[in-house]
Amino acid sequence: MTTKQSNNKIPKIHKFITNEQGENYWFNGCGRYVMNALGEKDYDYEFFAGLTGDVFAQIFSYNIFRGDGVTDYVLSEGRAAFVEEIFSKCGYASAFVQEEQLKADKEKYLQLLLSYIDKGIPVISNLRIMGHPKWIVFVGYEEDGKTLLFMTDNMTEPERVSTEEVFCENIDDECGRSRGFVFVGEKKEQKNLKQIYRDAILSLPNLLMSKTKNYCFGASAFRGWADEIESGRYDHMKPEEFDPWFMYQNYVCVLATNSSCCYEFLDRAEKLNPDFGFIGELYRLYHKMQNMWKKDADSLEAIGGGFNITLEALQDIPRRSAIAAKIREFAACADEIVQTIQESSTQS
């Protein structure tokens, strides 16, 4: 029942994500949060992480920092339909309202947001905090909507942000600012879970071979990363100019996350599709990448090319060449993943 009041929040408030469990792609936490509110138990974090491809694809940007995974990269080029397609695959209508629309009709979309909260449904947003967009879900409001309540990161209770700040038109690092709202609407049809997982796995080759003028995924991403290391980009860089996370470690985090956390989706896909005998080979290849990242004696981490990267290592030609060579080994694994799926789908 819809309730109109000055303060309100959705009934089901729970932890947003748990980083320690590898939940590093926050859009997928948003998807889970909305579906949990709608009573959809099958559409959890692991489900969305596989459906978006975040947990399967390495990323690389040719120019600027674009975010933490596939979803962020695709949206960085303005392809809002990507999000709507994800929810469509779940059987739900949705609308990604981009910032230009929000600014043009603030009151309309604020009232729509409040109406969703009154119905018990969170609203997804990409809120800019200190210059970088963060995925959040709005879960409540106070003072007739002058203050909004949101969940993100490892939060277990909502935090507050002024509506004025959310709809701020100034583009600067000090002002929180939304790149868009995602409103998940009515359920259009009941989707076949087996088919959703099947389609997601069979579409991986296209995802892993994706390349635009701004970024690439899969094997090309590993090779682009390795090429950048050897390009001389860091040769004359001063320590104060080196930002490890935005320039390097984010790629390591994606590698570490995917090679450690893709297995739940693979297991479900195989259980629902027993004819997918090749899933075991995908499992082996991602596990091989996990070992190459941190477990092998000559792993990326062991040779100083992981989270422990230093500017000195990137400026030392022999050291960086060894790091680049190791990263190209991951590219070979990514190529094998594509080949395995393509060959198996042709035979079946």
Side-chain angles (χ1 to χ4, degrees):
M1 178 178 178
T2 301
T3 303
K4 185 63 180 175
Q5 53 195 50
S6 59
N7 296 350
N8 205 1
K9 62 182 179 181
I10 67 170
K12 298 180 180 179
I13 301 293
H14 55 83
K15 190 172 184 180
F16 181 71
I17 53 94
T18 303
N19 285 131
E20 292 82 1
Q21 295 178 1
E23 295 179 351
N24 293 325
Y25 303 119
W26 293 2
F27 169 77
N28 305 310
C30 293
R32 171 179 59 189
Y33 219 101
V34 172
M35 289 298 151
N36 181 272
L38 293 169
E40 297 281 5
K41 297 181 180 179
D42 290 322
Y43 302 152
D44 56 9
Y45 174 90
E46 288 78 12
F47 170 84
F48 280 106
L51 195 61
T52 59
D54 283 330
V55 81
F56 288 116
Q58 186 66 25
I59 56 175
F60 178 74
S61 173
Y62 296 122
N63 35 52
I64 62 173
F65 178 79
R66 296 181 177 276
D68 298 328
V70 167
T71 301
D72 290 336
Y73 271 50
V74 172
L75 292 179
S76 73
E77 291 190 338
R79 290 169 54 194
F82 177 81
V83 169
E84 296 171 354
E85 290 165 4
I86 291 298
F87 288 109
S88 178
K89 292 174 182 178
C90 302
Y92 280 84
S94 66
F96 193 116
V97 182
Q98 298 188 70
E99 64 181 13
E100 293 81 4
Q101 296 170 269
L102 294 178
K103 290 189 294 184
D105 204 340
K106 299 176 187 177
E107 187 60 27
K108 171 185 174 180
Y109 290 112
L110 173 60
Q111 292 306 315
L112 182 58
L113 187 157
L114 300 186
S115 73
Y116 263 67
I117 300 301
D118 289 339
K119 292 185 293 186
I121 305 173
V123 173
I124 299 171
S125 181
N126 203 238
L127 186 68
R128 187 177 297 273
I129 300 173
M130 297 302 291
H132 299 293
K134 299 292 184 184
W135 288 105
I136 69 171
V137 284
F138 289 114
V139 296
Y141 63 86
E142 297 175 346
E143 305 173 281
D144 295 308
K146 292 180 181 178
T147 299
L148 300 177
L149 309 180
F150 70 92
M151 298 286 289
T152 191
D153 205 339
N154 288 280
M155 289 164 47
T156 56
E157 294 293 334
E159 289 189 3
R160 292 166 173 79
V161 62
S162 71
T163 300
E164 181 179 356
E165 185 177 0
V166 171
F167 286 91
C168 176
E169 295 187 25
N170 296 322
I171 303 175
D172 59 69
D173 289 352
E174 301 301 323
C175 181
R177 171 172 165 271
S178 178
R179 294 203 306 183
F181 289 172
V182 182
F183 297 96
V184 180
E186 63 180 296
K187 190 170 186 175
K188 295 293 188 179
E189 60 179 310
Q190 181 64 47
K191 293 289 188 176
N192 183 306
L193 198 62
K194 171 183 177 178
Q195 194 64 47
I196 296 175
Y197 276 87
R198 189 178 192 88
D199 292 344
I201 294 296
L202 292 178
S203 67
L204 279 180
N206 287 337
L207 176 73
L208 295 174
M209 293 188 293
S210 294
K211 183 183 293 187
T212 76
K213 65 179 182 180
N214 293 312
Y215 62 76
C216 56
F217 298 150
S220 293
F222 284 116
R223 293 188 177 103
W225 181 15
D227 290 345
E228 181 178 75
I229 291 170
E230 294 188 305
S231 70
R233 175 188 181 186
Y234 303 99
D235 285 353
H236 304 292
M237 188 173 290
K238 299 177 182 178
E240 60 270 21
E241 298 171 332
F242 181 58
D243 189 321
W245 175 259
F246 293 108
M247 294 180 179
Y248 190 98
Q249 291 169 337
N250 180 54
Y251 297 141
V252 179
C253 187
V254 171
L255 168 59
T257 300
N258 295 359
S259 65
S260 302
C261 302
C262 66
Y263 308 111
E264 180 63 28
F265 195 92
L266 292 176
D267 287 342
R268 294 178 188 180
E270 185 175 34
K271 184 176 181 180
L272 289 167
N273 297 274
D275 60 315
F276 271 10
F278 62 89
I279 292 290
E281 179 62 9
L282 302 185
Y283 205 107
R284 183 190 71 80
L285 288 166
Y286 277 103
H287 193 259
K288 179 180 179 180
M289 287 198 282
Q290 183 185 46
N291 289 337
M292 290 164 56
W293 159 57
K294 71 171 184 177
K295 294 183 178 181
D296 293 343
D298 62 344
S299 69
L300 188 64
E301 199 76 20
I303 64 174
F307 287 110
N308 54 355
I309 193 66
T310 63
L311 180 58
E312 290 77 14
L314 294 171
Q315 291 177 335
D316 183 283
I317 293 178
R319 291 172 68 185
R320 74 186 186 199
S321 294
I323 291 170
K326 174 57 66 174
I327 291 172
R328 291 189 181 99
E329 292 180 25
F330 290 98
C333 281
D335 281 332
E336 285 190 67
I337 289 168
V338 169
Q339 183 178 0
T340 296
I341 300 173
Q342 288 178 330
E343 290 178 351
S344 300
S345 60
T346 301
Q347 296 170 3
S348 60

